[in-house]
Each structure stands twice: as structure tokens, then as C-alpha cells.
Amino acid sequence: MEIDVTNEKKKAIDFIVNSSSLSELIKTETELLGRNGLINSLLKQLKNIIPEKRKTVGININALKQEVITLINQKKQLLSQKIDDKNIDVTMPGTSIKTGTLHPITIAITEISSIFSKLGFIRMSYPEVEWEYLAFDTLNMPKTHPARDDFETTFVNGEPHPTYGKMILTPHTSSGQIREMWRLKKPPIRMINIGKCYRPNWDATHTPMFHQFEGLCVDTDINITHLKGALDYFAKEYFGENTQTRLRPHHFQFTEPSFEVDISCTMCQGTGILRQSRDSGTSQDDLKVKCKICKSGWLELGGTGMVHPNVLISGGIDPIKYSGWAFGFGIERVIMMKYGVDDIRNYYSGDMRFLSQF
Ligand code: PHE
């Protein structure tokens, strides 16, 4: 008897090529290499071949076997790479794509704008490079005021304006009050101005560039209760519903009366005590741990007050007919208070371990 190995090889290759899915290929593999498969049946027939030819045919069958094994393995690899509805594994976990996160300052700006928009405040943005006149003079700050000294304010090289004086980097967002009064010309005004501020300080709670949000409300019959109400609303919305606010007398040139606003500490809920151990036998008083964030239960939010009549006049608004309130708070500061961040420089470190937590 004769065995046509070349013809058998053609058949085997056809089988492999025509297997178009992994399951089909596995069936082909059994048909070719299985116990009752093509190769084994060829080997079994060897004994019927005349002895002189048996050796060569045997060698050819074994070579065919090796070739079939190689081809099947190659095809297996090819099919498992190919994704079609026949070999897709729907239970396999997906490849996760690393997404970026918004910067905490951006998140806070969005939150703050949205809280004040519910009170009817519009979001404004005023120049980062400002005239001295708008940042100081119109805000009732005399020429001799210490904040105007170049130790506190960054002056920009350039031609001074004949009326508005030198160019500076905004040391606070309060010049936005005047710009908004100039823009609208007439109350009602409800504005939130968010911008970058510059002061030459660098430590755990100050960076030379930081952000402020400035609120301004001017209308007929506006008084301190409206201010307190708006601050309470903001504090509860931003820091949590149990947050309390208090006003402490202070001084600003552009408000009268002026206050500093405190909120009850977000870490110890205004108690001044952070943690009490319950499972020790000693007296409770001994176990009280002073809150490291606030020390006395209150955290300082920033400055506020009733807009000074001279400021309304600078803005072209009649202080007899209208009154208003304003505040200016630091954004980095409110985030620190909300999350208990202890070093402001983290915001600008570019350290993803810090930034991606927000
Ligand atoms: N401009 C003040 C500051 O930067 C904050 C402030 C704004 C105070 C508005 C009162 C009213 O500290």
C-alpha cells in the first residue's frame, strides 16, 4: 500500500485554515492530532507499507505532525488576539483608563459659584493686573496706608495711568466691587468675583499667588442681617449643615462696620476637642485631645462688613438711597478648612498623591 503524505498535508492545512474560531480550531486539533485523528491513523497504516519505503514514509508523517502542531499553535494565537463575537469573553475585566481629576481650586470655584448663584449672585472675573486707584483709592484707602507699600503689593513696570496711577498685581479682589458698580451703574448688585491675588508671603498658610472670592450685594434697605444670612447659607452649603458662623468686630477701610467671620471648626464641630478615648478607665477630662486645626472651636474665614459710603460714592452709587455688604475670602483657605489640609503649598506642588484625592 501507498501513503500520499503530500496530499494528507494539503488536507490538514485546509482544515486548519478553515477553522475560523477557537472552538472550531480545537475540534480540528482533535481531528488531526487526537487518538483517532489523521496523524495517528497514518502511523497505524505504516505496518502495511513495504519495508523498504516504511522508514521514509514514517519520517514524513512525523514531519507532518510537527508542522501541524506548529500551525495549530500559530492559529490559536491569532484567533485569541482577534476579537469577534465568537471568541469574546464578556466576563473578562476591562482595561481601566487612568482619568485625570480636577484641581481642588477648580472644584472649589465651581462649588462656590453654584452656592452663590442659588442666592441670585452672578459670577464675575476682573483683571489680575489692576490700577492702584481701583485697588486702593476707590476703596477708601489713604495714600499712606501700609498695604500700599511695596513690601505688601507687587508693582508692575509700565507707564502709570494719569488718573489711575501705577499698575499692580491685584492684592485682593475688592477692586472688583468698584468695577461691578461701574459696569451696572445702578443697583441691585449681587456679584461674586473670583480671581487671583498676589502678596509677598510664603509659608504653610500663605503662597505669593492665591485665590479670593469676593461677594458684593448692594440694594435698597440692605443690612447686616442679610450679610449674616448669606454667610450662614454659604457656610452650611459648603462646609456642612451643622456649621455655625460668627462675626467678630474688625477694621477694613472699605467697610463700616467691619468684621471677621469665623465658622465652627469642621474637624471638631466647634468643641475644640478632637478625640476622646472611651475604653480607658481614667477620667474623661484627662482623655480630651485639643483640636489641632482650630484650638478653640472656631476657624477664621476672612473679612467682611457693610460697604463704606465712600466706596459706594467711588462706584457712582448714592449711599443715602442704597446700602450693601461685601466680603473677601481665600479659596485655598476654605478648602484647607473643609478638608483639614495643613499646608497650603500642597495645592501647587503638582504632587498627584495629594491632588488626586479630590
Ligand atoms: N479685601 C479684604 C482682604 O483681602 C477682604 C474684605 C473684602 C474685607 C470685602 C471686607 C470686605 O483681606
Side-chain angles (χ1 to χ4, degrees), residues 38-39 42 44 55 60 70 96 104 114 116 126 132 151 240 248 257 273 287 289 313 328-329 358:
L38 176 78
I39 303 287
L42 293 179
K44 275 179 205 154
K55 193 175 168 197
N60 286 343
T70 315
S96 63
S114 130
F116 280 99
Y126 281 118
E132 241 188 317
F151 272 96
R248 263 183 301 108
I273 296 151
L287 301 167
V289 176
I313 293 169
F329 303 150
F358 291 87

Side-chain angles (χ1 to χ4, degrees), residues 33-157:
L33 301 168
R35 192 141 46 100
N36 302 316
L38 176 78
I39 303 287
N40 269 348
S41 79
L42 293 179
L43 290 171
K44 275 179 205 154
Q45 291 170 42
L46 267 181
K47 59 177 186 302
N48 305 326
I49 292 191
I50 44 163
E52 303 87 84
K53 285 192 174 173
R54 201 178 289 159
K55 193 175 168 197
T56 338
V57 176
I59 288 172
N60 286 343
I61 295 173
N62 273 322
L64 173 63
K65 185 177 175 181
Q66 286 315 313
E67 206 168 333
V68 164
I69 291 173
T70 315
L71 283 175
I72 284 181
N73 283 342
Q74 278 173 359
K75 181 89 186 206
K76 260 189 198 164
Q77 231 175 16
L78 199 82
L79 284 176
S80 51
Q81 275 165 10
K82 202 172 107 191
I83 296 183
D84 60 37
D85 53 358
K86 287 194 189 103
N87 59 38
I88 193 166
D89 179 359
V90 290
T91 62
M92 219 161 100
T95 330
S96 63
I97 298 165
K98 215 168 174 223
T99 49
T101 53
L102 289 177
H103 193 278
I105 306 277
T106 310
I107 297 172
I109 289 176
T110 315
E111 284 178 6
I112 292 164
S113 315
S114 130
I115 294 170
F116 280 99
S117 82
K118 290 184 208 153
L119 295 178
F121 282 62
I122 55 161
R123 158 97 191 268
M124 292 306 293
S125 199
Y126 281 118
E128 217 173 306
V129 180
E130 185 55 284
W131 300 110
E132 241 188 317
Y133 180 71
L134 273 116
F136 300 128
D137 298 76
T138 55
L139 293 172
N140 197 36
M141 289 171 86
K143 290 266 185 261
T144 52
H145 198 280
R148 303 180 69 142
D149 197 90
D150 49 9
F151 272 96
E152 288 297 327
T153 299
T154 311
F155 288 86
V156 177
N157 285 339

Side-chain angles (χ1 to χ4, degrees), residues 139 171-175 177 197 199 210 212-215 251-252 254-255 258-260 302-307 325-329:
L139 293 172
H172 56 180
T173 41
S174 300
S175 49
Q177 290 186 31
C197 299
R199 293 185 200 172
F210 61 101
Q212 271 191 347
F213 59 112
E214 181 99 8
H251 171 78
F252 295 103
F254 29 91
T255 44
S258 302
F259 309 98
E260 267 189 339
T304 186
M306 300 305 290
V307 181
W325 53 255
F327 66 77
F329 303 150

Side-chain angles (χ1 to χ4, degrees), residues 170-206:
T170 45
H172 56 180
T173 41
S174 300
S175 49
Q177 290 186 31
I178 302 294
R179 287 195 176 268
E180 186 66 354
M181 292 182 210
W182 285 1
R183 185 181 76 90
L184 289 177
K185 297 192 174 69
K186 206 171 153 308
I189 299 174
R190 282 184 188 78
M191 168 206 79
I192 195 93
N193 169 32
I194 306 186
K196 291 190 169 77
C197 299
Y198 299 84
R199 293 185 200 172
N201 299 313
W202 181 254
D203 60 33
T205 52
H206 299 90

Side-chain angles (χ1 to χ4, degrees), residues 11 17-18 47 49 78 115-116 146 149 166 172 177 205 210 217 244 263 268 278-279 289 296 298 307 325 332 348:
K11 270 203 295 194
V17 168
N18 290 330
K47 59 177 186 302
I49 292 191
L78 199 82
I115 294 170
F116 280 99
D149 197 90
K166 292 181 192 153
H172 56 180
Q177 290 186 31
T205 52
F210 61 101
C217 172
Q244 307 287 316
I263 61 156
C268 65
R278 298 241 156 89
D279 43 29
V289 176
S296 63
W298 295 93
V307 181
W325 53 255
E332 285 79 353
Y348 303 109

